[in-house]
Every structure is written in C-alpha cells, then in structure tokens.
Amino acid sequence: MSEKIIDGKAIAAEIKNELKNKISNLNKRAPGLAVILVGDDPASHYYVSNKEKSCAEVGIVSFKTILAANCSKEELISIINKYNQDPNVDGILLQLPLPAALKNSSQEIIDHILANKDVDGLTTINLGKLVVGSKDAIEPCTPRGCMELLKRSNVNCSGKQAIVLGRSTLVGKPISLLLNAANATVTMAHSKTQNLEALLAQADIIVAAIGQAEFIKANAIKVGAVIIDVGINAIEIDGKRTLVGDVEFTKAFEKASLITPVPGGVGPMTVAMLLANTLELYEKHI
Ligand code: NDP
C-alpha cells in the first residue's frame, strides 16, 4: 500500500491485537458491551454484526437487543435501564441513526445511558467533560479513531490549521474539540459556511464528515495536506454499488501528504475505538 495512504484497516487490526493481549491477561470477568439496535436499516445491521464479531475477536462479551422500528421511546429507555443495571455490562451503545419517529429524541434517549457506561461518549455529561478537557471524558469512537490515525501516522497537530467539515454531535463537534485539545487551530465548517474553498486552501489537516460523495475536490486542497475522510457514501459506478468518501480520492491522493481511503480508513477505527472504550470503562468498574 502507498506510503501516502493511512491504512485504517491495518491500524485497527494492530489496536485490536493490543486489546486482545490486554484482555487475555485480565483475571476477573471479561469486559461486556451491550448494543441496542432499533429498526431494520441494513447498514446499521451490518455495523452491529461487525461490532459483535470484533468483540468476540478480542475477548469482549457482547449483548444485543434489536427493537422494531416502531418501538416506543419508553420501551427503548427500559432496555437502556436494563443494561445500566447489569453488572456484566461495561458499555452501552445505541446504534445511530434512530428511525425517523425517534430521531428527534436521540439526545434525550442517549442521556439515559449512565455516564460510566457511555461507551460512545455521546451523553450530555460526557460531551460536557470533553468541552472542559476532563481526563475522565470518554472520547466518542469515530473522533477518537480519527485522532488515533493521526497519532499513529506521526502527524503532529500542534499549531496546524485544521478544518473539520460537518458539525454533528456524533462526529464534527467532538473531532473539532479533540483537534483543539491537540493544539491545532480549528475551523468548523458546515452547510452555511461561506468561502469554503478559501478555508480549505489554508488547511494542513482536513477532516471531512458531511456525507456527500466526493464533495471535496482536489483543486481545493493544499499540496501536502493530511486528509481524514469520515464520509461513507454509497454510489453507483457502472451499475455497481460502490462506497466512496466525502473527498474525491484519486485526484486528492496526488496532492495530499497522507489520506485515508473509503472504505478501509476511519470505518475500522470506529470499531477498534469502541472496543478500546469498552475496556476503559471496564477498568473503571472493576
Ligand atoms: P450529519 O448528517 O449528522 O451531519 C452532516 C454535517 O455536514 C452537518 O453538520 C452539515 O451542516 C454538514 N454539511 C452538509 N453539507 C455540507 C456542505 N456542503 N459543506 C459543509 N458542510 C456540510 O452526518 P454525520 O456527522 O452523522 O456523518 C457524516 C458522514 O460521516 C456520513 O457520511 C456518515 O455516514 C459518516 N460516518 C462515518 C463513520 C465511520 O465510522 N467512518 C461514523 C459516523 C458517520 P449543517 O449542520 O449546517 O446541516
């Protein structure tokens, strides 16, 4: 693989190995992760089965509840409470996005997860800890995965101009906070941002998390930029379903100093960080 490519699959495999070794040396119960999935979105089902498989690979016990798309908010909260009380469960993950009927209540529902079981770091309490820079904060999995990719690729963020495209609670906001904590100068861009091209042209580090296929064109980026592409977009090429990122990869590759592919970049890291966060919470419980 080219030296320019940040191989998320390989780095995630390395992290999983490290976790497997640590977990095999534990002498108490195994760490436990509970995943709650609502509805029948095929991509969410695929992600959840991947997470279960990865838990088994490293020695984490996984628990799973699947609820119908039309389940009530109360039913979902009662499952969260069940796992909150289960001493064998260290982390609780609510697979997002929730179906349309519950989507607007996502944060309210997530906030029922106990802060010390909030494996994706998305409760209001945990996000607040991230804002104040508490060492106790659990870093949300995808943003933590992006930072780990930068770290393991020896990218020093300090003093660099970073731009994050996207301001969601799941990705854009927390990654902006983590880059800021790593002393980058961060611009958080969104759909109302003006003069995006001028901002992109200055950026040493670009994190794209908007969910728009190949939106960022190579001519907009600076030579030598480091690109972390979080986006996952399914498009058809020659009648075949293909996954692409938010960045026009082939051409951006020529200008970037480092770039993540899609698939095989940030995606595998999200899962690896979920496992790492489960172990981190386990250590707080034992
Ligand atoms: P959301 O839809 O919640 O947020 C998208 C963000 O992008 C919004 O803040 C929106 O701005 C912004 N945006 C949309 N269009 C533009 C534009 N033209 N220019 C600048 N900003 C824009 O998405 P998520 O954050 O949940 O996910 C983003 C992408 O990352 C998706 O493709 C998703 O599939 C992927 N993803 C990948 C993961 C992985 O493990 N690799 C994990 C999680 C997500 P505004 O706020 O103004 O509407």
Side-chain angles (χ1 to χ4, degrees):
M1 193 165 284
S2 159
E3 280 176 14
K4 274 192 181 187
I5 292 190
I6 303 180
D7 185 351
K9 211 169 157 189
I11 296 175
E14 197 176 289
I15 292 169
K16 281 193 202 168
N17 245 336
E18 291 164 14
L19 292 169
K20 187 177 175 179
N21 284 339
K22 279 191 195 163
I23 292 169
S24 67
N25 286 321
L26 299 174
N27 50 17
K28 301 226 168 87
R29 68 168 172 85
L33 173 69
V35 180
I36 306 170
L37 174 55
V38 187
D40 39 28
D41 174 50
S44 294
H45 277 262
Y46 171 77
Y47 294 140
V48 167
S49 72
N50 215 358
K51 286 167 186 174
E52 274 182 297
K53 212 174 93 206
S54 298
C55 279
E57 275 167 31
V58 302
I60 291 175
V61 178
S62 60
F63 304 82
K64 180 171 74 175
T65 299
I66 300 179
L67 295 171
N70 62 355
C71 80
S72 68
K73 189 160 77 176
E74 291 68 29
E75 210 178 326
L76 175 51
I77 292 169
S78 79
I79 298 296
I80 292 176
N81 284 333
K82 182 187 92 168
Y83 287 131
N84 276 340
Q85 285 155 22
D86 188 333
N88 292 313
V89 170
D90 297 292
I92 302 171
L93 178 87
L94 179 59
Q95 183 67 37
L96 299 173
L98 291 175
L102 293 169
K103 207 166 182 173
N104 286 341
S105 308
S106 297
Q107 191 62 47
E108 181 199 335
I109 295 168
I110 288 170
D111 281 338
H112 283 270
I113 298 173
L114 284 178
N116 70 4
K117 294 198 175 188
D118 177 17
V119 75
D120 208 4
L122 294 177
T123 57
T124 304
I125 291 181
N126 192 73
L127 289 169
K129 286 182 181 173
L130 211 61
V131 171
V132 298
S134 163
K135 292 226 172 341
D136 194 33
I138 289 289
E139 294 175 4
C141 300
T142 302
R144 182 177 177 188
C146 296
M147 295 308 291
E148 198 64 34
L149 286 176
L150 291 170
K151 197 168 118 196
R152 291 189 187 229
S153 307
N154 299 316
V155 176
N156 179 4
C157 298
S158 185
K160 301 279 166 56
Q161 294 286 341
I163 184 165
V164 177
L165 282 88
R167 56 174 165 181
S168 71
T169 307
L170 184 63
V171 190
K173 276 182 196 154
I175 184 77
S176 299
L177 289 168
L178 294 177
L179 283 165
N180 175 272
N183 296 320
T185 303
V186 186
T187 302
M188 204 190 322
H190 47 76
S191 67
K192 308 289 184 295
T193 297
Q194 292 182 357
N195 299 324
L196 185 59
E197 291 220 342
L199 297 169
L200 277 169
Q202 290 172 11
D204 305 303
I205 299 168
I206 298 171
V207 179
I210 61 175
Q212 299 206 15
E214 301 183 326
F215 175 84
I216 300 175
K217 305 295 176 202
N219 60 9
I221 68 169
K222 178 165 145 178
V223 173
V226 174
I227 302 177
I228 305 289
D229 193 350
V230 183
I232 303 175
N233 310 288
I235 59 165
E236 280 211 359
I237 299 178
D238 300 331
K240 218 177 119 203
R241 187 180 176 273
T242 310
L243 291 184
V244 297
D246 290 344
V247 179
E248 188 188 32
F249 180 85
T250 322
K251 291 185 185 150
F253 173 84
E254 301 297 333
K255 284 178 91 175
S257 61
L258 287 168
I259 184 165
T260 59
V262 177
V266 176
M269 290 300 288
T270 296
V271 180
M273 295 301 104
L274 176 68
L275 307 174
N277 281 355
T278 304
L279 182 59
E280 211 168 285
L281 291 172
Y282 168 88
E283 281 159 356
K284 291 183 187 191
H285 295 148
I286 284 299

